Amino acid sequence: MQLQLLRNALLKLSYAGRTLLIDPDLGPRHSRPSFTGRSPNPMVELPEPIESILAGVDLLIVSHLHADHFDEVAKDRIPKELPLLCQPGDEEAIGKAGFANVTPLDHFLRLGSIVIKRQPAQHGTGAVVEKMGHVMGLSLEAPGEPTLYWCGDSVLYPPLRDAAATTAPDVIVTHSCGARWDDTLIVMDAQQTLELCDAHPQATVIATHMEALDHATVSREELRRVADAAGIGRDRLLIPADGETIEIRARATA
């Protein structure tokens, strides 16, 4: 498995012979309004040209329709014939954007040797959940590959804890910037990320969705400092820079 963090939640994943692009936000720096008044969004440029990002992609995954996960530039630049997975309820809007091969992921889907499962996610707590709308997480499994659990735009809440425990992943991808809306946490912060690390000592946790949006409250440096203080090794919690590629092999079986 090779996983490249591009920016924010945008991942390019090479897995079991397929190349997946997850949650494309392709707009230039400062092309969208601020959430907090601190800075227009996104706060940083993409680390490489859009043509390079899209090269070789054979499946697009859109977890939800917030602009930092599926923006207008992505809708314009991504080939409309590319197969696209989304959460149920978003397929009509995505189809109206011109995409012709859209599949809602109700429970699971087989893609060659890969099994992609929809997993629970909750974009905040309390009243803000309704404002944020429905979101989803994912897990991927395939022979010879590490099992991947992608948390999506979610806080750490009981259904996610249970689903991750049932999946027993080798790799967990978190959104760990501590973004807030109406003064409410809407994705994991440093403490929730460390709690997930503690719950899965066998897994490599990869923290993403950082330093790209102005309602974030946790930086990469802060997350690393808190993890070091908690004794969580740098081999267990990876905090990639934009553009960085991580390669992880499946665990050897007896």
Side-chain angles (χ1 to χ4, degrees):
M1 181 192 90
Q2 282 192 337
L3 182 152
Q4 183 184 21
L5 170 65
L6 289 152
R7 181 183 65 190
N8 200 43
L10 175 55
L11 300 178
K12 191 171 185 179
L13 176 66
S14 296
Y15 194 87
R18 301 276 185 163
T19 301
L20 290 65
L21 195 69
I22 301 175
D23 278 5
D25 170 8
L26 301 179
R29 178 174 181 260
H30 291 175
S31 59
R32 296 193 303 271
S34 167
F35 293 127
T36 66
R38 181 160 66 97
S39 170
N41 290 304
M43 297 193 300
V44 293
E45 293 286 7
L46 289 166
E48 58 186 66
I50 292 175
E51 293 81 5
S52 174
I53 292 170
L54 297 180
V57 171
D58 50 30
L59 178 69
L60 179 65
I61 297 176
V62 174
S63 67
H64 64 296
L65 299 180
H66 289 176
D68 62 308
H69 295 260
F70 191 44
D71 73 333
E72 294 303 316
V73 177
K75 294 173 188 176
D76 179 61
R77 295 292 300 275
I78 294 174
K80 299 299 187 291
E81 68 276 7
L82 191 68
L84 187 154
L85 293 184
C86 66
Q87 64 176 342
D90 287 349
E91 61 269 28
E92 182 176 353
I94 293 170
K96 286 181 178 178
F99 290 86
N101 191 0
V102 182
T103 301
L105 185 61
D106 288 302
H107 299 293
F108 73 93
L109 175 79
R110 292 189 181 274
L111 181 69
S113 65
I114 305 171
V115 177
I116 304 175
K117 297 179 182 178
R118 184 183 176 192
Q119 300 290 358
Q122 182 175 291
H123 207 350
T125 58
V128 80
V129 174
E130 185 174 352
K131 293 182 180 181
M132 292 296 101
H134 293 294
V135 296
M136 70 174 179
L138 298 165
S139 63
L140 287 84
E141 301 175 40
E145 292 282 10
T147 297
L148 172 66
Y149 191 102
W150 182 82
C151 296
D153 259 8
S154 183
V155 295
L156 184 60
Y157 77 126
L160 190 155
R161 292 178 188 270
D162 293 345
T166 299
T167 303
D170 303 299
V171 180
I172 301 174
V173 177
T174 61
H175 292 179
S176 295
C177 70
R180 302 185 75 87
W181 195 270
D182 291 348
D183 201 31
T184 299
L185 191 68
I186 57 173
V187 298
M188 293 184 205
D189 59 6
Q191 186 57 45
Q192 290 190 354
T193 302
L194 299 195
E195 288 178 24
L196 199 58
C197 290
D198 286 339
H200 296 272
Q202 84 291 346
T204 301
V205 176
I206 303 174
T208 68
H209 204 305
M210 305 193 77
E211 299 181 356
L213 302 173
D214 76 327
H215 62 336
T217 64
V218 179
S219 68
R220 290 179 170 99
E221 181 180 2
E222 180 183 359
L223 178 58
R224 177 59 70 199
R225 177 180 56 79
V226 173
D228 285 348
I232 294 177
R234 297 189 175 210
D235 58 335
R236 290 188 52 217
L237 175 61
L238 308 182
I239 310 173
D242 290 351
E244 185 175 344
T245 298
I246 295 167
E247 183 169 355
I248 299 178
R249 298 183 182 277
R251 283 182 291 181
T253 56

